[in-house]
Amino acid sequence: APILASRELGQTLSDPVLAFRSAELARSYNPLSVDARLRQAGAAHNRGEDDLAHELYLEATRLEPENPRTWDALGMFEWRIYREAGTCAAYAHFNRAYTEDPASAGKNGPLDKTRRAVNHGACS
């Protein structure tokens, strides 16, 4: 089943409806697949279903809390979607990704940018 899930996720789909269904099928093959959840979350966002996308990103972090990719994906989503209101949460998620893998944070990347915003009062 994990091989079938990987094959399903290997497809490049520009249509968000097809991408969502493909990721959903991959999840049915491998319910523990973080990649399927992340793909499905991105497709849900592209379909305009941000509440569902947010829940799928959260599920990915709960499924693999030590995986920096899950925290980074959640942080990017919250930073983009919730803009200034999401800066504090995004910073916390980027910081968690950094805690799990210091190499995950590039110089002047999202962690540095949100940290600067937090240090300049974005969360007060």
Side-chain angles (χ1 to χ4, degrees):
I3 292 170
L4 293 173
S6 293
R7 186 177 304 149
E8 199 63 39
L9 291 173
Q11 299 179 38
T12 302
L13 302 171
S14 58
D15 180 335
V17 173
L18 293 176
F20 187 87
R21 287 185 188 148
S22 174
E24 190 172 46
L25 184 58
R27 280 183 64 187
S28 73
Y29 291 140
N30 183 1
L32 300 178
S33 172
V34 166
D35 291 329
R37 274 181 182 71
L38 295 177
R39 163 85 61 96
Q40 198 172 20
H45 166 66
N46 290 336
R47 291 180 3 175
E49 298 179 66
D50 287 338
D51 289 341
L52 175 58
H54 190 243
E55 182 53 40
L56 289 163
Y57 283 119
L58 288 170
E59 281 181 20
T61 64
R62 289 190 293 265
L63 189 62
E64 290 188 14
E66 295 177 1
N67 184 338
R69 285 187 320 115
T70 63
W71 293 105
D72 189 58
L74 177 59
M76 289 303 292
F77 175 79
E78 290 186 349
W79 196 26
R80 288 182 188 148
I81 300 309
Y82 303 123
R83 308 247 183 239
E84 290 179 24
T87 299
C88 299
Y91 169 69
H93 302 319
F94 294 139
N95 195 49
R96 175 69 186 264
Y98 174 78
T99 299
E100 298 301 339
D101 179 14
S104 69
K107 185 175 173 122
N108 203 27
L111 175 61
D112 289 340
K113 291 176 182 177
T114 54
R115 181 187 302 121
R116 278 194 296 278
V118 168
N119 290 342
H120 287 100
C123 298
S124 36

